């Protein structure tokens, strides 16, 4: 992907060159449906899987990745990303990124560093976490403290650059990548910074401070703001949502203490999922809130028409067509996924056929 | 060899003949004349040293996993962690007794039994319900099940039989097996005076542990090796016993040290285990028992345990290097009286255990807890020639305090628990061959230090987990002297209920321990054994057991696992051991069969751990060489070579062989 130095050209390329609408695939699909449901699975259990949901018939094909490839995804599928005609699946415990076509046929298995072929290879490989796409390249955080850049047109070559400790979410805008340095493995000394990586030099140029234990990052469409969610230290410091101006670095706290998950949907909308438990282990309401990211002073509004709450809310995904999927989990049984229309009405609920439904994308 | 049970009078013979006869008769004694097991209200399973030797077991885990109603969680390999659970109540509800002393782990609640070798063990017992010997320490009476390891240390050695002038004994053993495993062991014992003796044991074990296994991933099958599975273990102990008139003093000191890699579960596409565990443990135990002529008796004992361990993880994203030191000091008194009235016998026993547990650890948020526990019990038994009724009540009081202030962690409140139990057995037939038994018992497990304080996950407001047990069973046994056949059949049905089960549950992002679970269990254990002495030189025996268990989670009616079988609990499992003992050679075949289990609470195919069978054969013979014996044996383990899993992601080793040579004087 060509880089230009002109802001306008960037904006255009973002719209045009980024994940363009996939062409209809000629290959017969072994499953019906456009929505890929990634189940994170149980730690060290190799039980991560992908189910495929068909919106019109409200039906689910379970374990579709296995069905197609006759092998398992592995341990802890963390993130799934549709990029053009390809799907990227980061599998954190198995330290591998699978690149497949839209029918989930494996095209490439990426481990970095090291060779991803063979079961015992890749001993030094890093744990890929969250991904985003920008200008035709895929950016991925590695829990070992790196931001990786995958170039599909160069044989899926991976470059890595150091960022902060235990990075989680990543978002790109304005030729920059923003990485949430959670410091999650440094308990009780969590991180509280976001790294800015200049994409031209692919080097971290600066960091700025946010709330303790930042997790997800989303950028507004015009790149003027980024939204950072944080989990706090699970003790005195609560988690929150902060909005950061990319021009002057000003950080504004939106005070959302029981935020579980967030995802960016079409129309510059940011969907938030609240929930969890309070200090005496009482469940807090799992609600969906929505923020218009283009507002100068963004405020939250309830998304569900009927104000519905979701028990054991675990994840939220806003797909490219405006549907919202809420994954619910008790961490020991298969999860439930609620399907919500772009208008905020409950459409369906299905068993995710896997543990901890972490992400839903539309291919 | 000496055995802990009554030894019948043997005809004179040459040494080898006597040795074999001893082995043979001990097994008959075990199954036909062990009135204490047959007539007990409790369900007691037992394996004698002779059985253990015959089957070639060398580690406690190998032996107890074949006993009815007992399961061992085994993470594979020689050094793999192993914990034992009775009727799947959980390892924390299972007490471990070593020569009558309780072995505990206040931090984890479950004892890793991989350290216990069977070298000097005279008998392994697993009992559920009230102990038949009511003069038992209070803390062992409180658990749902007890695994007792009895060694020769407390035996009458050397034999006091006429003409035996032997004043010392010695044995040396060397075992070698696949995957670079070496296990030398040494035992020395000597009579100091006619009333006292001393013995010492040393046992070293090394294993590379890098065994091959087949990893199946859909259409791909890969031959891999277990990594980071090596272990070095040293066990040593010194025992002293002194028997004055009407008394019995036993002093025991043990030392255990090990270093091992933790291979971890097999992760698809990535093998790089980085955890290691170091243990160093020493303990002193002393017990004195005295009998008075008027029926009174008393045991006084004291012990001190110092258990240090270090856990190291060198993974860059999970780096950890922490040490834990647990200390326990315990004083115990058991006093009682036995006497006969016109109609029957009365036994009364009062027991008190007072112990203190201390944990020091450099993990963050360790409040350096101190726990003072008092367990008091009163047991009363009334018995006639046919009937035995035993009732007991145990009271537990626990107080804790911290030696370090940690913000956000409160000292847990004092605990008080009462657990009553009642046991009954009745001999139904004139010849004592058929006995009916029943018990009900309420047990509990105190939250462990990890449950209460472990970083982020611990919860100091936990209460004790309760376990209610009930059992009804029949035991039938008969010895046919003309045919020299001993038969034994037992059948028990039981119903258990666990409430306030301590389990980790998710809160906002992190997990917290809570008293949340409820489990209902119904089950049956059936055992059968036949021991047939065909001729003085040939004996055949077969022992079989089968267990059925319906153990369901009834915590939350709206959860998807409501009324599903709890994890790691097969509906069916069984064991078979068939031996042919001859003057020339002893051959034993053992079979373990375990049905389908689930790794997670929901009973769905993706959580299934398939059933397995494990076939093993042991061949051994003892040669007399002058006044010494040489025993050579060969075991072929897991003959089918299937890398079955007991714990998901932890394949067991396939076919392997073990050769053992033992000198005995």
């Amino acid at each position: 992907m060509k880089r230009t130095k002109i802001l306008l050209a960037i904006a255009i390329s973002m719209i045009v060159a980024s994940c363009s609408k996939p062409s209809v695939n000629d290959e017969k699909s072994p499953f019906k449906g456009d929505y890929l449901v990634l189940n994170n699975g149980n730690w060290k259990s190799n039980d991560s899987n992908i189910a495929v949901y068909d919106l019109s018939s409200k039906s689910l094909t379970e374990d579709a990745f296995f069905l197609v490839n006759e092998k398992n995804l592995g341990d802890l599928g963390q993130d799934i990303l549709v990029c053009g005609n390809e799907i990227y699946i980061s599998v954190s415990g198995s330290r591998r990124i699978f690149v497949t076509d839209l029918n989930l046929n494996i095209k490439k298995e990426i481990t970095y560093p090291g060779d991803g072929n063979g079961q015992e290879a890749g001993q030094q490989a890093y744990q890929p976490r969250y991904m985003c796409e920008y200008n035709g390249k895929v950016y991925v955080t590695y829990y070992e403290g790196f931001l990786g850049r995958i170039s599909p047109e160069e044989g899926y070559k991976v470059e890595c650059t150091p960022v902060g400790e235990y990075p989680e979410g990543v978002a790109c805008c304005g030729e920059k990548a923003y990485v949430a340095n959670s410091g999650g493995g440094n308990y009780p000394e969590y991180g509280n910074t976001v790294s800015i990586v200049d994409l031209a030099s692919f080097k971290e140029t600066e960091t700025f401070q946010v709330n303790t234990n930042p997790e997800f990052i989303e950028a507004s469409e015009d790149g003027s703001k980024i939204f950072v969610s944080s989990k706090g230290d699970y003790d005195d410091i609560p988690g929150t949502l902060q909005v950061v101006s990319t021009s002057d670095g000003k950080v504004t706290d939106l005070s959302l203490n029981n935020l579980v998950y967030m995802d960016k949907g079409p129309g510059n909308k940011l969907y938030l999922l609240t929930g969890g438990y309070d200090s005496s282990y009482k469940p807090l309401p799992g609600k969906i809130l929505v923020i218009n990211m283009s507002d100068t002073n963004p405020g939250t509004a309830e998304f569900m028409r009927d104000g519905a709450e979701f028990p054991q809310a675990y994840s939220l995904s806003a797909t490219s067509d405006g549907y919202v999927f809420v994954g619910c989990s008790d961490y020991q049984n298969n999860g439930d996924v609620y399907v919500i229309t772009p208008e905020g009405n409950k459409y369906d609920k299905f068993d995710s056929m896997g543990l901890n439904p972490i992400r839903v994308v539309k291919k | 060899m000496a055995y802990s049970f009554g030894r019948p009078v043997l005809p004179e013979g040459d040494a080898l003949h006597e040795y074999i006869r001893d082995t043979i008769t001990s097994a008959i004694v075990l199954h036909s004349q062990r009135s204490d097991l047959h007539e007990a209200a409790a369900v007691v399973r037992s394996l004698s040293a002779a059985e253990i030797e015959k089957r070639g077991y060398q580690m406690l885990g190998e032996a107890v996993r074949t006993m009815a109603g007992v399961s061992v969680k085994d993470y594979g390999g020689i050094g793999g962690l192993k914990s034992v659970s009775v009727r799947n109540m959980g390892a924390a509800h299972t007490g471990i007794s070593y020569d009558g002393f309780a072995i505990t782990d206040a931090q984890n609640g479950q004892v890793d039994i991989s350290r216990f070798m069977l070298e000097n063990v005279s008998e392994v017992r697993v009992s559920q319900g009230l102990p038949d010997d009511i003069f038992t320490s209070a803390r062992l009476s409180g658990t749902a099940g007890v695994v007792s390891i009895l060694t020769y240390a407390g035996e009458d050695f050397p034999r006091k039989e006429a003409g035996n002038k032997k004043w010392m004994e010695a044995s040396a053993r060397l075992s070698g097996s696949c995957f670079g495993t070496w296990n030398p062991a040494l035992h020395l014992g000597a009579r100091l005076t006619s009333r006292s003796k001393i013995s010492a044991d040393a046992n070293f074990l090394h294993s590379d542990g890098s065994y091959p296994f087949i990893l199946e991933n859909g259409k791909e099958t890969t031959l891999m090796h277990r990594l980071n599975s090596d272990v070095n273990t040293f066990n040593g102990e010194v025992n002293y016993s002194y028997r004055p008139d009407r008394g019995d003093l036993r002093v025991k000191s043990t030392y255990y040290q090990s270093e091992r890699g933790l291979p971890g579960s097999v992760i698809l596409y990535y093998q790089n285990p980085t955890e290691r565990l170091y243990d160093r443990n020493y303990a002193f135990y002393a017990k004195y028992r005295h009998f008075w002529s008027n029926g009174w008796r008393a045991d006084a004992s004291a012990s001190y345990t110092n258990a240090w361990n270090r856990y190291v993880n060198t993974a860059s994203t999970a780096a950890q290097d922490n040490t834990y030191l647990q200390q326990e000091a315990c004083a115990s008194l058991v006093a009682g009286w036995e006497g006969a009235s016109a109609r029957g016998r009365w036994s009364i026993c009062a027991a008190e255990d007072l112990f203190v547990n201390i944990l020091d650890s450099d993990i963050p948020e360790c409040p350096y807890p101190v726990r003072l526990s008092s367990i008091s019990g009163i047991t009363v038994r009334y018995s006639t020639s046919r009937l035995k009724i035993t009732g007991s009540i145990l009271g537990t009081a626990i107080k804790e305090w911290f030696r370090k202030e940690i913000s956000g962690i409160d000292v847990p409140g004092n605990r008080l628990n009462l657990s009553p139990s009642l046991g009954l057995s009745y001999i139904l037939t004139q010849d004592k061959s058929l006995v009916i038994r029943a018990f009900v018992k309420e047990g509990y497990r105190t939250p462990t230090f990890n449950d209460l304080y472990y970083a982020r996950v611990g919860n100091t407001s936990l209460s004790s987990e309760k376990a209610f047990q009930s059992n009804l069973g029949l035991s039938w046994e008969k010895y046919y002297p003309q045919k020299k056949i001993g038969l034994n059949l037992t059948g028990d049905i039981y119903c258990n209920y666990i409430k306030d089960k301590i389990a980790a549950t998710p809160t906002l992002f992190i997990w917290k321990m809570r008293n949340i679970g409820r489990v209902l269990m119904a089950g049956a254990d059936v055992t059968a054994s036949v021991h047939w002495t065909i001729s003085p030189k040939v004996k055949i025996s077969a022992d079989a057991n089968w267990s059925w268990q319906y153990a369901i989670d009834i915590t939350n009616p709206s959860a998807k696992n409501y009324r599903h079988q709890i994890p790691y609990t097969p509906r069916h499992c069984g064991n078979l051991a068939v031996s042919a003992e001859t003057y020339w050679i002893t051959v034993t075949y053992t079979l373990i069969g375990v049905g389908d289990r689930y790794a997670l609470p929901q009973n769905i195919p993706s959580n299934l751990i398939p059933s397995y069978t494990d076939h093993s054969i042991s061949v051994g013979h003892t040669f007399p060489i002058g006044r010494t014996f040489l025993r050579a044996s060969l075991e072929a383990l897991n003959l089918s070579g299937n890398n079955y899993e007991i714990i998901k992601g932890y394949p067991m080793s396939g076919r392997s062989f073990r050769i053992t040579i033992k000198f005995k004087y």
Side-chain angles (χ1 to χ4, degrees):
Chain A
M1 205 49 48
K2 282 183 191 129
R3 286 196 204 103
T4 71
K5 285 169 186 150
I6 308 161
L7 200 68
L8 184 69
I10 293 167
I12 292 168
S13 70
M14 275 169 65
I15 298 156
V16 177
S18 68
C19 302
S20 49
K21 275 281 153 236
S23 57
V24 177
N25 207 306
D26 289 333
E27 256 181 84
K28 264 247 170 207
S29 175
F31 46 79
K32 199 171 122 191
D34 288 334
Y35 297 87
L36 308 175
V37 182
L38 177 66
N39 287 302
N40 181 242
N42 190 35
W43 187 47
K44 293 195 172 181
S45 295
N46 298 319
D47 59 352
S48 181
N49 69 45
I50 294 174
V52 180
Y53 176 71
D54 183 53
L55 193 73
S56 56
S57 67
K58 296 185 177 178
S59 64
L60 193 80
T61 308
E62 66 176 291
D63 220 352
F65 183 89
F66 186 86
L67 203 67
V68 172
N69 298 297
E70 289 182 57
K71 66 191 244 181
N72 288 290
L73 206 49
D75 188 47
L76 301 183
Q78 195 68 32
D79 198 6
I80 182 166
L81 178 79
V82 181
C83 181
N85 286 318
E86 290 178 337
I87 293 163
Y88 286 70
I89 308 143
S90 69
V91 189
S92 163
S94 288
R95 299 171 185 239
R96 181 160 294 221
I97 297 170
F98 288 95
V99 185
T100 72
D101 66 14
L102 292 176
N103 287 329
L104 292 174
N105 292 292
I106 296 172
K107 290 171 76 176
K108 178 74 183 173
E109 297 179 31
I110 299 168
T111 58
Y112 184 87
D115 175 19
N117 296 318
Q119 296 280 2
E120 293 194 39
Q123 236 64 306
Q124 301 306 313
Y126 299 154
Q127 298 165 71
R129 301 289 290 180
Y130 293 99
M131 301 180 288
C132 74
E133 185 277 338
Y134 187 67
N135 288 356
K137 292 183 197 290
V138 172
Y139 293 85
V140 55
T141 52
Y142 283 110
Y143 215 41
E144 283 72 11
F146 298 94
L147 176 68
R149 171 159 68 188
I150 302 165
S151 306
E153 74 279 14
E154 291 173 59
Y156 305 96
K157 187 188 80 177
V158 183
E159 305 158 81
C160 253
T161 189
V163 288
E165 294 191 291
Y166 303 98
E168 292 280 23
V170 54
C172 295
C173 63
E175 283 297 295
K176 282 173 182 159
Y178 295 85
V179 179
N181 300 315
S182 77
N186 288 339
Y187 162 81
E189 307 292 315
Y190 294 103
N192 63 348
T193 61
V194 168
S195 289
I196 303 178
V197 176
D198 173 59
L199 295 184
S201 61
F202 203 50
K203 288 261 172 349
E204 180 189 273
T205 51
E206 59 177 298
T207 61
F208 61 87
Q209 204 179 323
V210 291
N211 185 42
T212 300
N213 201 356
E215 187 178 27
F216 298 117
I217 289 201
E218 297 290 353
S220 63
E221 273 175 12
D222 62 0
S224 67
K225 292 191 229 25
I226 60 164
F227 291 76
V228 183
S229 74
S230 52
K231 293 197 281 198
D233 67 352
Y234 315 115
D235 192 5
D236 301 332
I237 306 168
T240 190
L241 177 68
Q242 290 168 308
V243 55
V244 185
S245 158
T246 52
S247 52
D248 60 7
K250 191 170 160 257
V251 180
T252 313
D253 198 324
L254 297 181
S255 298
L256 266 163
N257 289 347
N258 56 341
L259 189 58
V260 174
Y261 222 88
M262 75 175 192
D263 195 21
K264 191 167 91 173
N268 220 7
K269 276 187 188 140
L270 188 67
Y271 294 85
L272 309 165
L273 180 69
T274 66
Y277 295 76
D278 68 10
S279 57
S280 55
Y281 322 122
K282 283 207 185 74
L284 294 166
K287 280 186 169 278
I288 306 175
L289 304 176
V290 65
I291 284 181
N292 192 339
M293 295 170 88
S294 49
D295 289 352
T296 4
N297 293 310
T300 57
E302 194 158 313
F303 176 61
M304 294 302 292
R305 281 276 175 86
D306 58 358
E309 292 178 3
F310 301 89
Q312 296 167 320
Y314 170 79
S315 73
L316 176 143
S317 307
T319 54
S320 53
D321 56 359
Y323 276 82
V324 173
F325 293 77
V326 175
C328 296
S329 173
D330 65 0
Y331 293 82
Q332 56 178 6
N333 297 307
N334 280 351
D336 285 317
V337 176
Y338 290 88
V339 188
I340 298 135
T341 64
E343 297 76 36
N345 294 314
K346 216 179 263 185
Y347 173 78
D348 191 18
K349 175 193 168 189
F350 61 87
D351 186 307
S352 72
M353 300 311 286
L355 210 65
N356 297 338
I358 195 168
R359 187 125 185 89
V360 180
V361 291
K362 183 176 187 298
K363 65 175 190 181
Chain B
M1 291 183 82
Y3 297 100
S4 64
F5 27 81
R7 196 180 299 105
V9 179
L10 292 162
E12 293 295 312
D14 65 279
L16 174 62
H17 202 156
E18 187 183 325
Y19 178 86
I20 290 168
R21 187 172 293 271
D22 201 0
T23 311
I24 290 172
T25 43
S26 67
I28 297 170
V29 169
L30 173 67
H31 290 279
S32 303
Q33 295 171 23
R34 297 294 307 278
S35 61
D36 58 331
L37 306 194
H38 176 53
E39 292 168 19
V43 179
V44 187
R45 318 290 179 195
S46 165
L47 266 182
S48 67
E51 285 291 319
I52 288 167
E53 185 176 88
K54 234 163 52 179
R55 298 184 192 178
Y57 300 146
Q58 290 189 355
M59 273 155 280
L60 179 65
E62 292 177 312
V64 292
R65 70 184 284 210
T66 65
M67 298 163 91
V70 182
S71 60
V72 174
K73 275 199 170 180
D74 187 339
Y75 289 80
I78 298 284
L81 298 169
K82 293 164 182 61
S83 64
V84 59
S85 162
V86 174
R87 287 180 174 171
N88 289 296
M89 309 270 288
H93 283 287
T94 306
I96 309 278
S97 142
Y98 190 58
D99 274 338
F101 297 102
I103 308 287
T104 56
D105 186 326
Q107 184 193 351
N108 301 303
Q110 46 188 39
V111 176
D112 175 19
I113 61 162
S114 72
R115 65 182 253 212
F116 292 108
M117 307 294 286
L118 296 173
E119 188 61 27
N120 193 32
V121 166
S122 65
E123 190 190 356
V124 175
R125 274 191 184 194
V126 176
S127 57
Q128 294 144 71
L130 276 168
D132 197 55
D133 175 10
I134 67 164
F135 300 98
T136 305
S137 82
R139 61 193 301 196
L140 282 169
S141 313
T143 48
V146 178
V147 176
S148 309
I149 305 154
L150 298 165
T151 72
Y152 288 120
E155 293 295 304
D156 258 339
F157 164 82
R159 296 185 188 179
K160 288 174 182 166
E161 284 140 44
N164 193 342
K165 296 200 169 62
K166 208 167 121 181
W167 66 276
M168 65 91 72
E169 65 174 11
S171 70
R173 176 177 66 80
L174 179 65
S175 294
S177 57
C178 298
F179 324 124
T181 306
W182 293 98
N183 179 207
L186 197 65
H187 169 76
L188 289 169
R191 177 171 58 189
L192 301 175
T193 69
S194 61
R195 290 176 183 276
S196 65
K197 68 161 192 163
I198 191 162
S199 66
D201 284 272
N203 191 313
F204 176 76
L205 174 71
H206 166 82
S207 179
D208 298 336
S210 178
Y211 56 85
F213 67 98
I214 305 264
L215 176 65
E216 287 181 18
N217 178 18
K219 64 184 174 188
E220 290 178 4
T221 55
T222 321
L223 178 68
M224 298 180 66
H225 284 84
R226 219 64 182 103
L227 305 176
N228 194 35
S229 188
D230 59 298
V231 60
N232 280 306
T233 295
F234 174 79
N235 263 298
E237 65 176 81
V238 178
N239 291 285
Y240 171 79
S241 68
Y242 172 65
R243 291 189 175 172
D245 287 337
R246 316 198 70 89
D248 185 359
L249 172 72
R250 294 187 194 177
V251 180
K252 185 177 197 72
S253 61
T254 62
Y255 180 80
Y256 162 72
Q257 183 170 351
S258 93
E259 176 191 346
R260 55 189 145 169
L262 301 176
S265 68
V266 175
I267 303 291
L268 283 177
Y269 314 115
Y270 182 76
Q271 284 296 296
N272 189 13
T274 51
E275 298 163 291
R276 292 193 79 76
L277 198 59
Y278 302 80
D279 281 283
R280 197 215 60 227
N281 183 322
Y282 60 85
F284 303 100
Y285 311 92
K287 180 186 274 182
Y288 179 69
R289 172 174 292 175
H290 195 87
F291 297 91
W292 284 271
S293 55
N294 54 5
W296 283 90
R297 54 181 283 180
D299 288 6
S301 61
S303 66
Y304 170 75
T305 310
N306 181 300
W308 174 90
N309 87 40
R310 174 176 170 221
Y311 168 84
V312 179
N313 190 344
T314 51
S316 64
T317 51
Q320 203 183 331
D321 185 348
N322 291 119
T323 58
Y324 306 85
L325 174 66
Q326 289 192 65
Q327 297 177 79
E328 182 186 286
C330 177
S332 169
L333 193 67
V334 181
W337 175 83
E338 278 187 296
S341 71
R343 292 194 168 173
R345 270 187 92 71
W346 285 93
S347 315
I348 296 164
C349 171
E352 166 67 28
D353 276 19
L354 196 64
F355 50 102
V356 60
N357 292 85
I358 296 177
L359 173 68
D360 293 22
S361 172
D362 56 4
I363 58 165
E365 295 183 9
C366 175
Y368 291 76
V370 180
R371 172 182 288 177
L372 178 66
S373 312
S374 158
I375 305 183
S376 321
I378 299 237
T379 309
V380 178
R381 169 175 294 167
Y382 174 73
S383 52
T384 67
S385 60
R386 284 193 165 187
L387 177 71
K388 252 195 253 187
I389 300 180
T390 312
S392 106
I393 186 148
L394 276 182
T396 304
I398 293 175
K399 182 175 174 56
E400 274 179 53
W401 61 92
F402 296 163
R403 286 169 295 143
K404 187 181 167 190
E405 291 269 311
I406 300 279
S407 76
I409 299 187
D410 305 322
V411 180
N414 297 343
R415 296 172 196 286
L416 276 175
N417 279 306
L418 277 183
S419 42
S421 55
L422 187 68
L424 173 136
S425 67
Y426 185 75
I427 298 167
L428 291 166
T429 53
Q430 202 76 51
D431 64 352
K432 295 192 167 187
S433 61
L434 188 60
V435 176
I436 186 167
R437 60 193 178 198
F439 69 78
V440 286
K441 181 172 181 176
E442 187 182 326
Y444 55 90
R445 85 159 178 96
T446 310
T448 64
F449 285 150
N450 278 352
D451 294 335
L452 295 169
Y453 313 120
Y454 194 76
R456 290 186 284 189
V457 182
N459 177 1
T460 53
S461 55
L462 288 174
S463 57
S464 296
E465 182 177 312
K466 317 286 184 312
F468 304 91
Q469 293 175 278
S470 59
N471 186 86
L472 178 67
L474 285 170
S475 175
W476 177 80
E477 68 179 19
K478 200 148 191 176
Y479 183 64
Y480 298 91
Q482 287 82 19
K483 289 178 178 164
K484 293 195 165 67
I485 293 179
L487 293 172
N488 174 289
L489 286 171
T490 72
D492 288 271
I493 53 170
Y494 61 90
C495 189
N496 298 339
Y497 173 59
I498 295 180
K499 74 166 195 181
D500 296 337
K501 194 175 164 75
I502 297 170
T505 49
T507 63
L508 186 60
F509 308 117
I510 56 168
W511 294 67
K512 220 46 180 175
M513 303 306 296
R514 293 169 71 188
N515 286 105
I516 196 165
R518 277 201 296 272
V519 178
L520 185 65
M521 300 166 165
D525 294 327
V526 176
T527 70
S529 53
V530 185
H531 292 241
W532 182 22
T533 308
I534 297 172
S535 79
K537 292 182 178 181
V538 181
K539 178 183 175 249
I540 288 173
S541 62
D543 298 88
N545 62 63
W546 167 77
S547 296
W548 171 80
Q549 187 161 48
Y550 179 75
I552 54 167
D553 188 312
I554 51 167
T555 307
N556 177 4
S558 63
K560 289 177 185 174
N561 66 317
Y562 184 64
R563 299 188 77 85
H564 283 206
Q565 185 88 351
I566 59 170
Y568 291 110
T569 307
R571 275 277 149 83
H572 299 274
C573 61
N575 297 280
L576 173 69
V578 182
S579 288
E581 290 159 81
T582 70
Y583 193 88
W584 309 277
I585 199 161
T586 300
V587 181
T588 302
Y589 163 78
T590 50
L591 165 68
I592 298 167
V594 173
D596 290 348
R597 293 138 297 148
Y598 295 93
L600 289 172
Q602 204 177 357
N603 296 173
I604 52 175
S606 59
N607 294 335
L608 185 77
I609 309 175
S611 60
Y612 68 85
T613 54
D614 180 314
H615 310 259
S616 298
I617 285 181
S618 172
V619 179
H621 184 58
T622 304
F623 306 90
I625 303 174
R627 296 186 63 182
T628 66
F629 299 109
L630 169 67
R631 181 171 173 83
S633 64
L634 175 73
E635 282 100 48
L637 307 166
N638 192 12
L639 280 168
S640 61
N642 171 19
N643 299 115
Y644 60 85
E645 291 176 331
I646 294 177
I647 305 291
K648 191 180 181 189
Y650 289 83
M652 306 297 281
S653 61
R655 191 180 308 116
S656 70
F657 299 92
R658 179 163 65 199
I659 188 156
T660 302
I661 290 179
K662 182 173 180 174
F663 277 102
K664 200 169 157 55
Y665 168 72

